[in-house]
Amino acid sequence: MKINKATYLISSPGFEQCPKLTQPEYAFIGRSNVGKSSIINAVCNQKNLAKTSGTPGKTQLINHFEVMSSNSKGPWDKWYIVDLPGYGFAKVSQSSRRRWEQMIENYLRKRPNLNRVFVLIDSRHEPQKIDLEFIEQMVKWEIPYTLIFTKSDKEKPGAVARNVQSMFDILRERLPFLPQGFVTSAEKKLGVEEVIACIDQYNRLYAEDQQS
Ligand code: GTP
Ligand code: MG
């Protein structure tokens, strides 16, 4: 699949305000500063489509991007990428944390065209409690998700491999089945093609579902 065009569509303060769309969408979520906006830019091959920042907590809205892609199966598919505000940012009040939780739960559980959620994990760290809890919540809600390990260029390959392995080891004990996972670097464009191919595959499944 080749991405022909990606443009910013809209930022919504909550689930209720999100645009009504029928084509599939893919949400990127994870700890604040994990690299959500950066991987979205890498997937879309643009530098500043999603706003990135060294300051955690930058993305506070539900941001929709419209993507046009083509592949051998047919020209010009339209689908959406969603950049969600990150969790686990220490400097937020109890009330805004609750607001975030409610907004994310509503979005993840009620969005009709949400086809897949990418849960991002920082590959530099050993499995973190907050990520494990979020993944368990996704499983409880029965929301289909795929893991993306980020920033693999920032740590030695051996350490990245160990962190990824221990994440899967822990998940194997806690979950009925394991998710798929990609190791990526937005900086070095590693694993990005795999993420694009994954979206391509889910786009096809979505189209098949619509026809049946
Ligand atoms: P919030 O929206 O604040 O939750 O952050 P985010 O998850 O969208 O992270 P963002 O993409 O803004 O990246 C945070 C910081 O990490 C920025 O300084 C990025 O340049 C850096 N970063 C992201 N991905 C990579 C990567 O693959 N490699 C390296 N070296 N740095 C990265
Ligand atoms: Mg962001």
Short mmCIF file of all heavy atoms in Angstrom, two decimals, residues 54-100:
data_model
loop_
_atom_site.label_atom_id
_atom_site.label_comp_id
_atom_site.label_asym_id
_atom_site.label_seq_id
_atom_site.Cartn_x
_atom_site.Cartn_y
_atom_site.Cartn_z
N GLY A 54 8.68 17.96 22.73
CA GLY A 54 9.48 17.40 23.80
C GLY A 54 8.75 17.50 25.13
O GLY A 54 9.12 16.87 26.12
N THR A 55 7.69 18.31 25.19
CA THR A 55 6.92 18.49 26.43
C THR A 55 5.75 17.51 26.45
O THR A 55 4.89 17.57 25.57
CB THR A 55 6.32 19.92 26.48
OG1 THR A 55 7.25 20.81 25.89
CG2 THR A 55 5.96 20.33 27.88
N PRO A 56 5.70 16.62 27.43
CA PRO A 56 4.59 15.67 27.48
C PRO A 56 3.25 16.37 27.63
O PRO A 56 3.17 17.45 28.21
CB PRO A 56 4.89 14.82 28.72
CG PRO A 56 6.29 15.07 29.07
CD PRO A 56 6.63 16.43 28.55
N GLY A 57 2.21 15.74 27.14
CA GLY A 57 0.87 16.27 27.30
C GLY A 57 0.47 17.26 26.22
O GLY A 57 -0.49 18.01 26.37
N LYS A 58 1.19 17.25 25.11
CA LYS A 58 0.95 18.21 24.03
C LYS A 58 -0.43 17.98 23.37
O LYS A 58 -1.16 18.93 23.13
CB LYS A 58 2.07 18.07 22.99
CG LYS A 58 1.90 18.91 21.75
CD LYS A 58 2.56 20.26 21.93
CE LYS A 58 2.35 21.13 20.70
NZ LYS A 58 2.69 22.51 20.98
N THR A 59 -0.74 16.72 23.07
CA THR A 59 -1.99 16.43 22.36
C THR A 59 -3.13 16.27 23.37
O THR A 59 -3.15 15.31 24.13
CB THR A 59 -1.84 15.13 21.54
OG1 THR A 59 -0.62 15.20 20.80
CG2 THR A 59 -3.00 14.93 20.58
N GLN A 60 -4.07 17.19 23.40
CA GLN A 60 -5.16 17.11 24.37
C GLN A 60 -6.51 16.84 23.72
O GLN A 60 -7.51 16.67 24.40
CB GLN A 60 -5.25 18.40 25.19
CG GLN A 60 -4.14 18.57 26.22
CD GLN A 60 -4.09 17.44 27.24
OE1 GLN A 60 -5.08 16.73 27.45
NE2 GLN A 60 -2.93 17.22 27.83
N LEU A 61 -6.54 16.82 22.40
CA LEU A 61 -7.80 16.66 21.68
C LEU A 61 -7.75 15.36 20.88
O LEU A 61 -6.69 14.73 20.75
CB LEU A 61 -7.99 17.84 20.71
CG LEU A 61 -8.02 19.22 21.36
CD1 LEU A 61 -7.73 20.29 20.32
CD2 LEU A 61 -9.36 19.47 22.04
N ILE A 62 -8.92 14.96 20.36
CA ILE A 62 -8.97 13.82 19.45
C ILE A 62 -8.73 14.38 18.05
O ILE A 62 -9.57 15.10 17.52
CB ILE A 62 -10.35 13.12 19.54
CG1 ILE A 62 -10.61 12.63 20.98
CG2 ILE A 62 -10.46 11.98 18.53
CD1 ILE A 62 -12.00 12.04 21.21
N ASN A 63 -7.56 14.07 17.49
CA ASN A 63 -7.18 14.68 16.21
C ASN A 63 -7.35 13.69 15.06
O ASN A 63 -6.71 12.64 15.06
CB ASN A 63 -5.72 15.12 16.27
CG ASN A 63 -5.49 16.15 17.35
OD1 ASN A 63 -6.13 17.20 17.37
ND2 ASN A 63 -4.61 15.84 18.27
N HIS A 64 -8.17 14.06 14.10
CA HIS A 64 -8.40 13.21 12.93
C HIS A 64 -7.56 13.67 11.73
O HIS A 64 -7.52 14.86 11.43
CB HIS A 64 -9.87 13.25 12.51
CG HIS A 64 -10.72 12.26 13.24
ND1 HIS A 64 -11.20 12.48 14.51
CD2 HIS A 64 -11.17 11.02 12.87
CE1 HIS A 64 -11.92 11.42 14.89
NE2 HIS A 64 -11.91 10.53 13.92
N PHE A 65 -6.96 12.70 11.06
CA PHE A 65 -6.24 12.95 9.81
C PHE A 65 -6.84 12.05 8.74
O PHE A 65 -7.14 10.88 9.00
CB PHE A 65 -4.75 12.65 9.97
CG PHE A 65 -4.11 13.45 11.06
CD1 PHE A 65 -4.03 12.97 12.36
CD2 PHE A 65 -3.62 14.73 10.80
CE1 PHE A 65 -3.47 13.73 13.38
CE2 PHE A 65 -3.06 15.49 11.81
CZ PHE A 65 -2.98 14.99 13.10
N GLU A 66 -7.00 12.61 7.57
CA GLU A 66 -7.57 11.84 6.45
C GLU A 66 -6.44 11.35 5.56
O GLU A 66 -5.56 12.14 5.20
CB GLU A 66 -8.51 12.74 5.65
CG GLU A 66 -9.23 12.01 4.54
CD GLU A 66 -10.15 12.94 3.76
OE1 GLU A 66 -11.17 13.37 4.33
OE2 GLU A 66 -9.82 13.25 2.61
N VAL A 67 -6.46 10.07 5.24
CA VAL A 67 -5.38 9.49 4.44
C VAL A 67 -5.95 8.89 3.16
O VAL A 67 -6.99 8.22 3.19
CB VAL A 67 -4.63 8.39 5.24
CG1 VAL A 67 -3.44 7.87 4.44
CG2 VAL A 67 -4.18 8.91 6.59
N MET A 68 -5.27 9.14 2.05
CA MET A 68 -5.62 8.51 0.79
C MET A 68 -4.47 7.58 0.43
O MET A 68 -3.31 7.98 0.45
CB MET A 68 -5.78 9.54 -0.34
CG MET A 68 -6.80 10.63 -0.06
SD MET A 68 -8.49 10.03 0.02
CE MET A 68 -8.79 9.67 -1.68
N SER A 69 -4.82 6.34 0.11
CA SER A 69 -3.78 5.39 -0.25
C SER A 69 -4.21 4.58 -1.46
O SER A 69 -5.39 4.58 -1.83
CB SER A 69 -3.52 4.44 0.93
OG SER A 69 -4.67 3.67 1.18
N SER A 70 -3.25 3.92 -2.06
CA SER A 70 -3.59 3.04 -3.18
C SER A 70 -2.78 1.76 -3.07
O SER A 70 -1.72 1.73 -2.46
CB SER A 70 -3.30 3.74 -4.52
OG SER A 70 -1.96 4.18 -4.53
N ASN A 71 -3.32 0.70 -3.61
CA ASN A 71 -2.55 -0.55 -3.69
C ASN A 71 -2.97 -1.32 -4.94
O ASN A 71 -3.85 -0.88 -5.68
CB ASN A 71 -2.71 -1.40 -2.42
CG ASN A 71 -4.14 -1.82 -2.17
OD1 ASN A 71 -4.91 -1.99 -3.12
ND2 ASN A 71 -4.50 -1.99 -0.93
N SER A 72 -2.35 -2.47 -5.10
CA SER A 72 -2.59 -3.23 -6.34
C SER A 72 -4.04 -3.67 -6.47
O SER A 72 -4.53 -3.95 -7.55
CB SER A 72 -1.67 -4.45 -6.37
OG SER A 72 -1.86 -5.18 -5.19
N LYS A 73 -4.74 -3.74 -5.33
CA LYS A 73 -6.14 -4.21 -5.33
C LYS A 73 -7.11 -3.14 -5.85
O LYS A 73 -8.28 -3.43 -6.06
CB LYS A 73 -6.56 -4.63 -3.93
CG LYS A 73 -5.76 -5.76 -3.37
CD LYS A 73 -6.59 -7.00 -3.23
CE LYS A 73 -5.66 -8.18 -3.05
NZ LYS A 73 -6.30 -9.43 -2.99
N GLY A 74 -6.63 -1.92 -5.96
CA GLY A 74 -7.55 -0.88 -6.42
C GLY A 74 -7.05 0.49 -5.97
O GLY A 74 -6.33 0.58 -4.99
N PRO A 75 -7.42 1.53 -6.69
CA PRO A 75 -6.86 2.84 -6.39
C PRO A 75 -7.62 3.59 -5.30
O PRO A 75 -8.79 3.34 -5.04
CB PRO A 75 -7.01 3.56 -7.73
CG PRO A 75 -8.21 2.93 -8.37
CD PRO A 75 -8.35 1.55 -7.80
N TRP A 76 -6.96 4.49 -4.66
CA TRP A 76 -7.55 5.50 -3.78
C TRP A 76 -8.52 5.01 -2.73
O TRP A 76 -9.73 5.17 -2.84
CB TRP A 76 -8.22 6.60 -4.63
CG TRP A 76 -7.23 7.29 -5.51
CD1 TRP A 76 -7.11 7.13 -6.87
CD2 TRP A 76 -6.20 8.17 -5.10
NE1 TRP A 76 -6.06 7.88 -7.31
CE2 TRP A 76 -5.48 8.54 -6.26
CE3 TRP A 76 -5.79 8.71 -3.88
CZ2 TRP A 76 -4.39 9.40 -6.24
CZ3 TRP A 76 -4.71 9.58 -3.86
CH2 TRP A 76 -4.03 9.91 -5.01
N ASP A 77 -7.94 4.42 -1.73
CA ASP A 77 -8.72 4.11 -0.53
C ASP A 77 -8.67 5.33 0.37
O ASP A 77 -7.64 6.00 0.47
CB ASP A 77 -8.05 2.95 0.24
CG ASP A 77 -8.63 1.62 -0.17
OD1 ASP A 77 -9.82 1.58 -0.49
OD2 ASP A 77 -7.86 0.64 -0.15
N LYS A 78 -9.76 5.58 1.07
CA LYS A 78 -9.75 6.66 2.06
C LYS A 78 -9.92 6.06 3.46
O LYS A 78 -10.78 5.22 3.65
CB LYS A 78 -10.88 7.65 1.77
CG LYS A 78 -10.87 8.82 2.73
CD LYS A 78 -11.62 10.02 2.19
CE LYS A 78 -13.11 9.83 2.33
NZ LYS A 78 -13.85 11.04 1.91
N TRP A 79 -9.09 6.48 4.38
CA TRP A 79 -9.21 6.02 5.77
C TRP A 79 -8.66 7.10 6.68
O TRP A 79 -8.17 8.14 6.20
CB TRP A 79 -8.54 4.66 5.96
CG TRP A 79 -7.18 4.51 5.35
CD1 TRP A 79 -6.90 4.20 4.04
CD2 TRP A 79 -5.91 4.66 6.00
NE1 TRP A 79 -5.54 4.15 3.85
CE2 TRP A 79 -4.91 4.42 5.04
CE3 TRP A 79 -5.51 4.96 7.31
CZ2 TRP A 79 -3.54 4.49 5.33
CZ3 TRP A 79 -4.16 5.02 7.60
CH2 TRP A 79 -3.20 4.78 6.62
N TYR A 80 -8.72 6.85 7.99
CA TYR A 80 -8.39 7.92 8.94
C TYR A 80 -7.40 7.45 10.01
O TYR A 80 -7.44 6.29 10.43
CB TYR A 80 -9.67 8.43 9.62
CG TYR A 80 -10.63 9.00 8.61
CD1 TYR A 80 -11.61 8.20 8.03
CD2 TYR A 80 -10.51 10.32 8.19
CE1 TYR A 80 -12.46 8.70 7.06
CE2 TYR A 80 -11.36 10.83 7.22
CZ TYR A 80 -12.32 10.02 6.65
OH TYR A 80 -13.16 10.51 5.69
N ILE A 81 -6.57 8.38 10.41
CA ILE A 81 -5.68 8.16 11.54
C ILE A 81 -6.11 9.11 12.64
O ILE A 81 -6.46 10.26 12.37
CB ILE A 81 -4.21 8.44 11.14
CG1 ILE A 81 -3.65 7.23 10.37
CG2 ILE A 81 -3.37 8.75 12.36
CD1 ILE A 81 -2.20 7.41 9.95
N VAL A 82 -6.09 8.62 13.87
CA VAL A 82 -6.48 9.46 15.00
C VAL A 82 -5.35 9.51 16.02
O VAL A 82 -4.86 8.48 16.48
CB VAL A 82 -7.78 8.93 15.65
CG1 VAL A 82 -8.12 9.73 16.90
CG2 VAL A 82 -8.92 8.99 14.65
N ASP A 83 -4.95 10.72 16.34
CA ASP A 83 -3.91 10.97 17.35
C ASP A 83 -4.63 11.31 18.65
O ASP A 83 -5.32 12.32 18.73
CB ASP A 83 -3.04 12.14 16.87
CG ASP A 83 -1.78 12.30 17.70
OD1 ASP A 83 -1.51 11.45 18.57
OD2 ASP A 83 -1.05 13.30 17.48
N LEU A 84 -4.48 10.44 19.64
CA LEU A 84 -5.20 10.64 20.91
C LEU A 84 -4.27 11.22 21.97
O LEU A 84 -3.06 10.99 21.93
CB LEU A 84 -5.74 9.30 21.41
CG LEU A 84 -6.86 8.66 20.59
CD1 LEU A 84 -7.11 7.23 21.06
CD2 LEU A 84 -8.13 9.49 20.67
N PRO A 85 -4.83 11.94 22.94
CA PRO A 85 -3.99 12.44 24.03
C PRO A 85 -3.43 11.30 24.86
O PRO A 85 -4.10 10.29 25.07
CB PRO A 85 -4.93 13.32 24.85
CG PRO A 85 -6.30 12.95 24.44
CD PRO A 85 -6.22 12.34 23.07
N GLY A 86 -2.20 11.45 25.30
CA GLY A 86 -1.52 10.37 26.03
C GLY A 86 -1.97 10.24 27.47
O GLY A 86 -2.53 11.15 28.05
N TYR A 87 -1.70 9.07 28.05
CA TYR A 87 -2.01 8.86 29.46
C TYR A 87 -0.72 8.90 30.29
O TYR A 87 0.38 8.89 29.75
CB TYR A 87 -2.76 7.55 29.68
CG TYR A 87 -2.13 6.29 29.10
CD1 TYR A 87 -1.05 5.68 29.71
CD2 TYR A 87 -2.65 5.70 27.96
CE1 TYR A 87 -0.50 4.51 29.20
CE2 TYR A 87 -2.11 4.53 27.44
CZ TYR A 87 -1.02 3.94 28.07
OH TYR A 87 -0.48 2.80 27.55
N GLY A 88 -0.91 8.96 31.59
CA GLY A 88 0.23 8.84 32.50
C GLY A 88 1.09 10.08 32.62
O GLY A 88 2.23 10.00 33.07
N PHE A 89 0.55 11.21 32.23
CA PHE A 89 1.31 12.45 32.40
C PHE A 89 1.14 12.89 33.84
O PHE A 89 0.03 13.18 34.29
CB PHE A 89 0.78 13.49 31.40
CG PHE A 89 1.48 14.82 31.50
CD1 PHE A 89 2.85 14.90 31.68
CD2 PHE A 89 0.75 15.99 31.41
CE1 PHE A 89 3.49 16.12 31.77
CE2 PHE A 89 1.37 17.23 31.49
CZ PHE A 89 2.74 17.29 31.68
N ALA A 90 2.26 12.92 34.58
CA ALA A 90 2.21 13.14 36.03
C ALA A 90 1.57 14.48 36.42
O ALA A 90 0.82 14.56 37.38
CB ALA A 90 3.61 13.04 36.60
N LYS A 91 1.85 15.52 35.64
CA LYS A 91 1.44 16.86 36.07
C LYS A 91 0.01 17.22 35.68
O LYS A 91 -0.23 18.34 35.23
CB LYS A 91 2.40 17.89 35.46
CG LYS A 91 3.76 17.90 36.12
CD LYS A 91 4.55 19.09 35.64
CE LYS A 91 6.03 18.82 35.78
NZ LYS A 91 6.81 19.43 34.73
N VAL A 92 -0.91 16.29 35.80
CA VAL A 92 -2.30 16.67 35.53
C VAL A 92 -3.13 16.44 36.79
O VAL A 92 -2.84 15.57 37.60
CB VAL A 92 -2.95 15.90 34.35
CG1 VAL A 92 -2.22 16.15 33.06
CG2 VAL A 92 -3.03 14.41 34.64
N SER A 93 -4.15 17.26 36.93
CA SER A 93 -5.00 17.17 38.12
C SER A 93 -5.86 15.91 38.04
O SER A 93 -6.05 15.35 36.96
CB SER A 93 -5.88 18.40 38.20
OG SER A 93 -6.76 18.41 37.08
N GLN A 94 -6.39 15.53 39.19
CA GLN A 94 -7.28 14.37 39.28
C GLN A 94 -8.48 14.55 38.34
O GLN A 94 -8.88 13.62 37.66
CB GLN A 94 -7.77 14.26 40.74
CG GLN A 94 -8.47 12.97 41.06
CD GLN A 94 -7.47 11.83 41.29
OE1 GLN A 94 -6.31 11.92 40.93
NE2 GLN A 94 -7.95 10.75 41.88
N SER A 95 -9.01 15.78 38.31
CA SER A 95 -10.23 16.01 37.52
C SER A 95 -9.93 15.92 36.02
O SER A 95 -10.73 15.35 35.27
CB SER A 95 -10.86 17.35 37.86
OG SER A 95 -10.00 18.39 37.48
N SER A 96 -8.79 16.43 35.57
CA SER A 96 -8.53 16.31 34.14
C SER A 96 -8.15 14.88 33.76
O SER A 96 -8.39 14.45 32.64
CB SER A 96 -7.51 17.33 33.63
OG SER A 96 -6.34 17.24 34.36
N ARG A 97 -7.59 14.14 34.71
CA ARG A 97 -7.32 12.73 34.43
C ARG A 97 -8.64 11.97 34.25
O ARG A 97 -8.79 11.16 33.34
CB ARG A 97 -6.53 12.10 35.58
CG ARG A 97 -6.09 10.67 35.29
CD ARG A 97 -5.05 10.19 36.26
NE ARG A 97 -3.90 11.11 36.28
CZ ARG A 97 -2.99 11.15 37.24
NH1 ARG A 97 -3.08 10.35 38.28
NH2 ARG A 97 -1.98 12.00 37.20
N ARG A 98 -9.60 12.28 35.10
CA ARG A 98 -10.90 11.62 34.99
C ARG A 98 -11.59 12.00 33.67
O ARG A 98 -12.22 11.18 33.03
CB ARG A 98 -11.80 11.95 36.19
CG ARG A 98 -12.37 10.67 36.78
CD ARG A 98 -13.10 10.89 38.09
NE ARG A 98 -12.21 10.81 39.23
CZ ARG A 98 -12.12 11.75 40.18
NH1 ARG A 98 -12.83 12.85 40.10
NH2 ARG A 98 -11.31 11.59 41.20
N ARG A 99 -11.45 13.26 33.30
CA ARG A 99 -12.02 13.72 32.03
C ARG A 99 -11.40 12.95 30.87
O ARG A 99 -12.08 12.52 29.95
CB ARG A 99 -11.78 15.23 31.87
CG ARG A 99 -12.93 15.94 31.24
CD ARG A 99 -12.85 17.46 31.16
NE ARG A 99 -11.53 18.04 31.15
CZ ARG A 99 -11.02 18.76 32.16
NH1 ARG A 99 -11.72 18.95 33.26
NH2 ARG A 99 -9.81 19.27 32.08
N TRP A 100 -10.08 12.77 30.93
CA TRP A 100 -9.37 12.02 29.88
C TRP A 100 -9.91 10.59 29.82
O TRP A 100 -10.23 10.08 28.75
CB TRP A 100 -7.86 12.02 30.18
CG TRP A 100 -7.07 11.23 29.17
CD1 TRP A 100 -6.52 11.70 28.01
CD2 TRP A 100 -6.78 9.82 29.22
NE1 TRP A 100 -5.90 10.67 27.33
CE2 TRP A 100 -6.05 9.51 28.05
CE3 TRP A 100 -7.06 8.79 30.11
CZ2 TRP A 100 -5.59 8.22 27.76
CZ3 TRP A 100 -6.62 7.50 29.82
CH2 TRP A 100 -5.88 7.24 28.65
#
